[in-house]
Amino acid sequence: MNVTVIGAGLAAAHVVTELRAQGYDGDVVLVGDEPHAPYERPPLSKGLLLGSAEPDSVFVHPRAWYDEHGVDLRVGTPATALDLDRRRVRLGATEVAYDQLVLAPGAAPRRLAMADTSGAPVHYLRTLDDALRLRERLTGHVAIIGAGWIGLEVASAARQAGAEVTVLESAPLPLQRVLGDELATVFADLHRAHGVDLRLGAEVTGIEHDGDRAVVRTAGAEPLVADLLLVAVGVTPNDGLAASAGLATDDGVLVDARLRTDDPRVLAIGDVANHDHPVLGTRIRVEHWDTAIQHGKHAARVLLGSDEPYTRLPYFFTDQYDLGMEYVGHVDRQGYDELVVRGDLAARSASVLWLRGDRVLAGLHLNDWDAIDPLRAVVGGTATDAVRDPSVPLAELM
């Protein structure tokens, strides 16, 4: 069996790592369009920007590992076409044959046309090179459009680097769709307490440049002048290669419970995979570190004959200033009807459960590092009276 993996990111790296760990000794080709070997993205908006992590620390393996383990690593080599009938991937002027193919091309930052054409110092953050460029510019006045995870983590790093920071968010609260009003308010208060000018309900109407500075215009407010403008308004899955080949796509590549596409010889994993999750009972596309790792490991086992579905619940974390958070589960568009808080949200030391009916949808902790295992045990289960009672310690629910 010849395995080809497209997209040399974290998910792809864990496919080839797990294949070798499981004893597979066949041919493996790993193809990526970036010039780097696979690396982890969380440090790009955390330690790397803060200066507490150096570039060499982000790589999954040293470059020599791939040669030592017989992995044909081809970086700086974008895949340009996929022929499902012939089982070939075109890489510029050459082709690679496969018996089994794993698509892991990730996602790309959503662009803001008015920023890209403004002539202003505009940055996006997705790649290692993006982060290294941004790290050199976190001085003066930094403006950020978008108060999602990336926008807020960069805001935290910039404030800790001594920059003045303004964050513009169109929603009434940061992270509102993900966390709901109560937890979103915690993050709004956190950033304001650290000196961030957080402007909510801000509609950006225009972006210009004034020399080497950015001028951002918003409805009903004076223009904002900044030394650097970061656009952080989400990502879009890189599903064009799959769609052009005829694979089913809809906000990513559609995969079944076992991460297989509608072509049985092709899997899709990581940010690009729109997964039919057997536990959540819905399709979900997850853009987080843990899912990339676990998708990669599971895909390798499927390639080697496993028929087990992927059942792990989504997990993500963030570090902002003195706040650490871990979240497990998923609250879909139907929302939740009950929030159970153990601890003190205002003091940022708490655990939280989101409930709908008799089901525990998700859980989160703020600076409570013993809570993640009990949260994992509870989420996805039944919302009993004990679960609903904040006086019952979380550990007793396991």
mmCIF file of all heavy atoms in Angstrom, residues 10 42 286-296 310 312-317 376:
data_model
loop_
_atom_site.group_PDB
_atom_site.id
_atom_site.type_symbol
_atom_site.label_atom_id
_atom_site.label_comp_id
_atom_site.label_asym_id
_atom_site.label_seq_id
_atom_site.Cartn_x
_atom_site.Cartn_y
_atom_site.Cartn_z
ATOM 1 N N LEU A 10 -0.067 19.714 11.204
ATOM 2 C CA LEU A 10 -0.074 18.889 12.409
ATOM 3 C C LEU A 10 -0.833 17.582 12.198
ATOM 4 O O LEU A 10 -0.378 16.507 12.605
ATOM 5 C CB LEU A 10 -0.691 19.680 13.559
ATOM 6 C CG LEU A 10 -0.681 19.021 14.932
ATOM 7 C CD1 LEU A 10 0.748 18.752 15.398
ATOM 8 C CD2 LEU A 10 -1.410 19.900 15.942
ATOM 9 N N PRO A 42 -0.577 26.376 17.741
ATOM 10 C CA PRO A 42 -0.893 27.163 18.938
ATOM 11 C C PRO A 42 0.200 28.139 19.379
ATOM 12 O O PRO A 42 -0.120 29.271 19.776
ATOM 13 C CB PRO A 42 -1.166 26.084 19.996
ATOM 14 C CG PRO A 42 -1.739 24.955 19.207
ATOM 15 C CD PRO A 42 -0.950 24.951 17.928
ATOM 16 N N VAL A 286 -13.892 21.120 13.016
ATOM 17 C CA VAL A 286 -13.189 21.648 14.181
ATOM 18 C C VAL A 286 -11.814 22.157 13.760
ATOM 19 O O VAL A 286 -11.067 21.449 13.078
ATOM 20 C CB VAL A 286 -13.040 20.566 15.273
ATOM 21 C CG1 VAL A 286 -12.329 21.138 16.489
ATOM 22 C CG2 VAL A 286 -14.409 20.014 15.657
ATOM 23 N N GLU A 287 -11.480 23.359 14.207
ATOM 24 C CA GLU A 287 -10.234 24.009 13.784
ATOM 25 C C GLU A 287 -9.218 24.078 14.913
ATOM 26 O O GLU A 287 -8.497 25.076 15.038
ATOM 27 C CB GLU A 287 -10.551 25.424 13.280
ATOM 28 C CG GLU A 287 -11.514 25.461 12.106
ATOM 29 C CD GLU A 287 -12.085 26.837 11.863
ATOM 30 O OE1 GLU A 287 -11.707 27.786 12.596
ATOM 31 O OE2 GLU A 287 -12.912 26.985 10.944
ATOM 32 N N HIS A 288 -9.124 23.044 15.710
ATOM 33 C CA HIS A 288 -8.278 23.118 16.901
ATOM 34 C C HIS A 288 -7.201 22.034 16.923
ATOM 35 O O HIS A 288 -7.307 20.997 16.267
ATOM 36 C CB HIS A 288 -9.136 23.043 18.159
ATOM 37 C CG HIS A 288 -10.045 24.218 18.321
ATOM 38 N ND1 HIS A 288 -9.575 25.492 18.527
ATOM 39 C CD2 HIS A 288 -11.400 24.327 18.269
ATOM 40 C CE1 HIS A 288 -10.592 26.333 18.620
ATOM 41 N NE2 HIS A 288 -11.709 25.651 18.462
ATOM 42 N N TRP A 289 -6.193 22.320 17.736
ATOM 43 C CA TRP A 289 -4.966 21.522 17.847
ATOM 44 C C TRP A 289 -5.247 20.065 18.187
ATOM 45 O O TRP A 289 -4.718 19.154 17.546
ATOM 46 C CB TRP A 289 -4.119 22.202 18.925
ATOM 47 C CG TRP A 289 -2.950 21.471 19.459
ATOM 48 C CD1 TRP A 289 -1.687 21.449 18.935
ATOM 49 C CD2 TRP A 289 -2.895 20.699 20.661
ATOM 50 N NE1 TRP A 289 -0.853 20.700 19.729
ATOM 51 C CE2 TRP A 289 -1.572 20.235 20.802
ATOM 52 C CE3 TRP A 289 -3.836 20.356 21.638
ATOM 53 C CZ2 TRP A 289 -1.169 19.437 21.868
ATOM 54 C CZ3 TRP A 289 -3.449 19.564 22.706
ATOM 55 C CH2 TRP A 289 -2.121 19.111 22.801
ATOM 56 N N ASP A 290 -6.053 19.818 19.185
ATOM 57 C CA ASP A 290 -6.295 18.447 19.636
ATOM 58 C C ASP A 290 -6.954 17.615 18.545
ATOM 59 O O ASP A 290 -6.596 16.446 18.345
ATOM 60 C CB ASP A 290 -7.177 18.465 20.884
ATOM 61 C CG ASP A 290 -7.419 17.070 21.443
ATOM 62 O OD1 ASP A 290 -6.468 16.483 21.990
ATOM 63 O OD2 ASP A 290 -8.556 16.569 21.313
ATOM 64 N N THR A 291 -7.910 18.202 17.836
ATOM 65 C CA THR A 291 -8.586 17.462 16.769
ATOM 66 C C THR A 291 -7.617 17.112 15.653
ATOM 67 O O THR A 291 -7.671 16.005 15.096
ATOM 68 C CB THR A 291 -9.764 18.281 16.220
ATOM 69 O OG1 THR A 291 -10.724 18.462 17.270
ATOM 70 C CG2 THR A 291 -10.437 17.579 15.048
ATOM 71 N N ALA A 292 -6.717 18.029 15.314
ATOM 72 C CA ALA A 292 -5.722 17.726 14.281
ATOM 73 C C ALA A 292 -4.888 16.510 14.671
ATOM 74 O O ALA A 292 -4.675 15.590 13.863
ATOM 75 C CB ALA A 292 -4.825 18.938 14.052
ATOM 76 N N ILE A 293 -4.422 16.474 15.913
ATOM 77 C CA ILE A 293 -3.604 15.345 16.372
ATOM 78 C C ILE A 293 -4.403 14.047 16.363
ATOM 79 O O ILE A 293 -3.966 13.028 15.804
ATOM 80 C CB ILE A 293 -3.076 15.621 17.790
ATOM 81 C CG1 ILE A 293 -2.085 16.785 17.773
ATOM 82 C CG2 ILE A 293 -2.421 14.367 18.377
ATOM 83 C CD1 ILE A 293 -1.657 17.237 19.158
ATOM 84 N N GLN A 294 -5.576 14.080 16.960
ATOM 85 C CA GLN A 294 -6.360 12.850 17.111
ATOM 86 C C GLN A 294 -6.932 12.374 15.778
ATOM 87 O O GLN A 294 -7.027 11.164 15.547
ATOM 88 C CB GLN A 294 -7.472 13.062 18.143
ATOM 89 C CG GLN A 294 -6.961 13.458 19.524
ATOM 90 C CD GLN A 294 -5.990 12.462 20.124
ATOM 91 O OE1 GLN A 294 -6.058 11.260 19.855
ATOM 92 N NE2 GLN A 294 -5.063 12.948 20.947
ATOM 93 N N HIS A 295 -7.334 13.297 14.892
ATOM 94 C CA HIS A 295 -7.739 12.893 13.542
ATOM 95 C C HIS A 295 -6.595 12.154 12.849
ATOM 96 O O HIS A 295 -6.805 11.128 12.184
ATOM 97 C CB HIS A 295 -8.114 14.119 12.713
ATOM 98 C CG HIS A 295 -9.552 14.495 12.785
ATOM 99 N ND1 HIS A 295 -10.134 15.367 11.885
ATOM 100 C CD2 HIS A 295 -10.542 14.140 13.632
ATOM 101 C CE1 HIS A 295 -11.412 15.523 12.181
ATOM 102 N NE2 HIS A 295 -11.676 14.799 13.243
ATOM 103 N N GLY A 296 -5.386 12.721 12.957
ATOM 104 C CA GLY A 296 -4.250 12.101 12.291
ATOM 105 C C GLY A 296 -4.005 10.680 12.770
ATOM 106 O O GLY A 296 -3.815 9.753 11.968
ATOM 107 N N TYR A 310 -14.585 7.672 14.711
ATOM 108 C CA TYR A 310 -13.898 8.682 15.517
ATOM 109 C C TYR A 310 -14.924 9.313 16.455
ATOM 110 O O TYR A 310 -15.861 9.978 16.008
ATOM 111 C CB TYR A 310 -13.271 9.759 14.622
ATOM 112 C CG TYR A 310 -12.534 10.829 15.395
ATOM 113 C CD1 TYR A 310 -11.220 10.643 15.778
ATOM 114 C CD2 TYR A 310 -13.168 12.014 15.751
ATOM 115 C CE1 TYR A 310 -10.536 11.615 16.495
ATOM 116 C CE2 TYR A 310 -12.495 12.997 16.472
ATOM 117 C CZ TYR A 310 -11.185 12.789 16.835
ATOM 118 O OH TYR A 310 -10.511 13.758 17.548
ATOM 119 N N ARG A 312 -14.036 10.986 19.638
ATOM 120 C CA ARG A 312 -13.504 11.941 20.611
ATOM 121 C C ARG A 312 -14.242 13.284 20.496
ATOM 122 O O ARG A 312 -14.481 13.787 19.388
ATOM 123 C CB ARG A 312 -12.015 12.157 20.383
ATOM 124 C CG ARG A 312 -11.330 13.018 21.452
ATOM 125 C CD ARG A 312 -9.839 13.068 21.181
ATOM 126 N NE ARG A 312 -9.108 13.950 22.064
ATOM 127 C CZ ARG A 312 -8.597 13.603 23.236
ATOM 128 N NH1 ARG A 312 -8.777 12.377 23.675
ATOM 129 N NH2 ARG A 312 -7.908 14.464 23.966
ATOM 130 N N LEU A 313 -14.571 13.874 21.630
ATOM 131 C CA LEU A 313 -15.248 15.157 21.643
ATOM 132 C C LEU A 313 -14.250 16.286 21.365
ATOM 133 O O LEU A 313 -13.075 16.201 21.742
ATOM 134 C CB LEU A 313 -15.911 15.396 23.003
ATOM 135 C CG LEU A 313 -17.084 14.477 23.345
ATOM 136 C CD1 LEU A 313 -17.512 14.695 24.789
ATOM 137 C CD2 LEU A 313 -18.249 14.711 22.389
ATOM 138 N N PRO A 314 -14.717 17.347 20.715
ATOM 139 C CA PRO A 314 -13.827 18.481 20.462
ATOM 140 C C PRO A 314 -13.257 19.057 21.756
ATOM 141 O O PRO A 314 -13.949 19.140 22.775
ATOM 142 C CB PRO A 314 -14.738 19.504 19.768
ATOM 143 C CG PRO A 314 -15.836 18.693 19.171
ATOM 144 C CD PRO A 314 -16.058 17.549 20.115
ATOM 145 N N TYR A 315 -11.986 19.456 21.688
ATOM 146 C CA TYR A 315 -11.298 20.043 22.840
ATOM 147 C C TYR A 315 -10.440 21.196 22.339
ATOM 148 O O TYR A 315 -9.813 21.101 21.281
ATOM 149 C CB TYR A 315 -10.409 18.992 23.508
ATOM 150 C CG TYR A 315 -9.334 19.569 24.419
ATOM 151 C CD1 TYR A 315 -9.588 19.819 25.764
ATOM 152 C CD2 TYR A 315 -8.071 19.873 23.912
ATOM 153 C CE1 TYR A 315 -8.602 20.355 26.597
ATOM 154 C CE2 TYR A 315 -7.079 20.402 24.729
ATOM 155 C CZ TYR A 315 -7.346 20.652 26.065
ATOM 156 O OH TYR A 315 -6.373 21.187 26.856
ATOM 157 N N PHE A 316 -10.426 22.289 23.090
ATOM 158 C CA PHE A 316 -9.483 23.356 22.769
ATOM 159 C C PHE A 316 -9.106 24.098 24.038
ATOM 160 O O PHE A 316 -9.725 23.933 25.090
ATOM 161 C CB PHE A 316 -10.022 24.308 21.697
ATOM 162 C CG PHE A 316 -11.290 25.049 22.057
ATOM 163 C CD1 PHE A 316 -11.257 26.264 22.720
ATOM 164 C CD2 PHE A 316 -12.523 24.525 21.697
ATOM 165 C CE1 PHE A 316 -12.418 26.945 23.034
ATOM 166 C CE2 PHE A 316 -13.696 25.204 22.003
ATOM 167 C CZ PHE A 316 -13.646 26.423 22.676
ATOM 168 N N PHE A 317 -8.063 24.913 23.923
ATOM 169 C CA PHE A 317 -7.569 25.650 25.085
ATOM 170 C C PHE A 317 -7.098 27.028 24.634
ATOM 171 O O PHE A 317 -6.859 27.270 23.449
ATOM 172 C CB PHE A 317 -6.421 24.903 25.774
ATOM 173 C CG PHE A 317 -5.148 24.869 24.968
ATOM 174 C CD1 PHE A 317 -4.135 25.785 25.211
ATOM 175 C CD2 PHE A 317 -4.957 23.911 23.971
ATOM 176 C CE1 PHE A 317 -2.964 25.754 24.463
ATOM 177 C CE2 PHE A 317 -3.787 23.872 23.231
ATOM 178 C CZ PHE A 317 -2.786 24.804 23.475
ATOM 179 N N ARG A 376 -14.420 15.969 31.047
ATOM 180 C CA ARG A 376 -14.497 14.962 29.975
ATOM 181 C C ARG A 376 -15.449 13.830 30.362
ATOM 182 O O ARG A 376 -16.157 13.283 29.505
ATOM 183 C CB ARG A 376 -13.116 14.382 29.689
ATOM 184 C CG ARG A 376 -12.165 15.301 28.951
ATOM 185 C CD ARG A 376 -10.931 14.513 28.521
ATOM 186 N NE ARG A 376 -9.883 15.367 27.995
ATOM 187 C CZ ARG A 376 -9.845 15.830 26.755
ATOM 188 N NH1 ARG A 376 -10.829 15.535 25.915
ATOM 189 N NH2 ARG A 376 -8.841 16.585 26.350
#
